[in-house]
Amino acid sequence: MENIVIIGAGGFGREVKTIIDAVNKNNAVYSFLGYYDDGLEVGKSINNFPVLGTVSDLNAVTRKTSVLLGVGDPKIKSKIIASLDNDYLNFPTIIHPSVCISDDDVTIAAGCVICAGSIITCNISIGKFVTLNLMCTIGHDTVVEDYASFMPSVNISGAVHIEKNVYVGTGAKIINQLTIGSGTIVGAGAVVSKSLPRNCTAVGIPAKPIKFHENE
């Protein structure tokens, strides 16, 4: 069995642990060791599993260890991965058994977390360290770049291009043939009917940018 740990012991990190459990029910693949979290005391018990250390402690690991990101913020995900430089670490994609994925030209890169009830149709490319929370849908011919995060019940129509580090809030909908610029935040419940520029926060129906922020 593969030794596996989760970065982040908050709510989403604990939910990622439930995906490991669901995968193991079908076929025992992973041996879960515990969490790494910068904000919690080492040794603290989280649902009967320990906090093993801080994120930087993973650079001192000396046995092969799989690592999942239990973090939703795209910029934090990117910074965490940039801080890790240890050949013993690998970053699998984990997919809940209930997820529906077409066999027709779907590619999913390393480090993704895809939660229960999500649907991924055909001719779709998903980059590294993408998070699809519960009950998300991605339509045909969509491209999702690295580190993007989608909260529960986000619906993405066909031929959408989601650039790097995009965050989409719960229940948002993105109409077909649009582009969401890198670093942009789409608010919960928004309906995106026109393409959005980079590094903005957009809310409402239809979604409109309400502020711009620096690219970090």
Side-chain angles (χ1 to χ4, degrees):
M1 296 176 70
E2 288 183 42
N3 290 327
I4 196 165
V5 300
I6 296 170
I7 293 176
F12 185 59
R14 287 179 276 122
E15 288 184 340
V16 173
K17 164 61 166 52
T18 70
I19 303 177
I20 295 173
D21 294 340
V23 169
N24 279 343
K25 283 182 181 178
N26 290 342
N27 180 26
V29 176
Y30 298 112
S31 175
F32 181 63
L33 304 181
Y35 300 90
Y36 285 80
D37 193 304
D38 288 347
L40 295 173
E41 181 181 356
V42 175
K44 179 179 175 63
S45 179
I46 307 293
N47 291 342
N48 300 315
F49 287 91
V51 175
L52 299 168
T54 63
V55 173
S56 63
D57 289 332
L58 281 164
N59 284 320
V61 167
T62 57
R63 57 178 172 172
K64 290 183 179 180
T65 302
S66 294
V67 181
L68 298 173
L69 292 182
V71 177
D73 187 302
K75 292 180 180 178
I76 293 176
K77 289 194 290 184
S78 179
K79 289 178 180 178
I80 287 171
I81 296 304
S83 74
L84 297 176
D85 183 19
N86 184 342
D87 290 340
Y88 285 103
L89 305 180
N90 68 88
F91 301 92
T93 281
I94 193 163
I95 301 172
H96 192 279
S98 67
V99 173
C100 179
I101 303 177
S102 166
D103 293 328
D104 295 334
D105 191 26
V106 174
T107 61
I108 303 174
C112 296
V113 174
I114 303 179
C115 297
S118 292
I119 300 172
I120 300 168
T121 65
C122 58
N123 305 95
I124 290 168
S125 174
I126 297 176
K128 297 181 293 184
F129 302 105
V130 169
T131 302
L132 286 179
N133 213 310
L134 299 165
M135 305 294 289
C136 289
T137 65
I138 302 181
H140 64 87
D141 299 294
T142 288
V143 174
V144 179
E145 296 187 14
D146 299 347
Y147 298 105
S149 285
F150 306 92
M151 296 304 101
S153 300
V154 169
N155 301 132
I156 303 168
S157 299
V160 172
H161 186 176
I162 307 290
E163 295 184 352
K164 187 176 180 179
N165 287 347
V166 166
Y167 178 95
V168 182
T170 298
K173 301 181 186 301
I174 302 173
I175 304 304
N176 58 301
Q177 299 182 340
L178 301 182
T179 297
I180 310 299
S182 62
T184 280
I185 298 168
V186 177
V191 176
V192 182
S193 59
K194 294 183 179 179
S195 293
L196 294 174
R198 297 179 178 181
N199 299 316
C200 74
T201 296
V203 301
I205 303 173
K208 296 180 180 179
I210 58 169
K211 65 179 179 179
F212 287 82
H213 39 88
E214 292 183 5
N215 186 23
E216 298 178 3

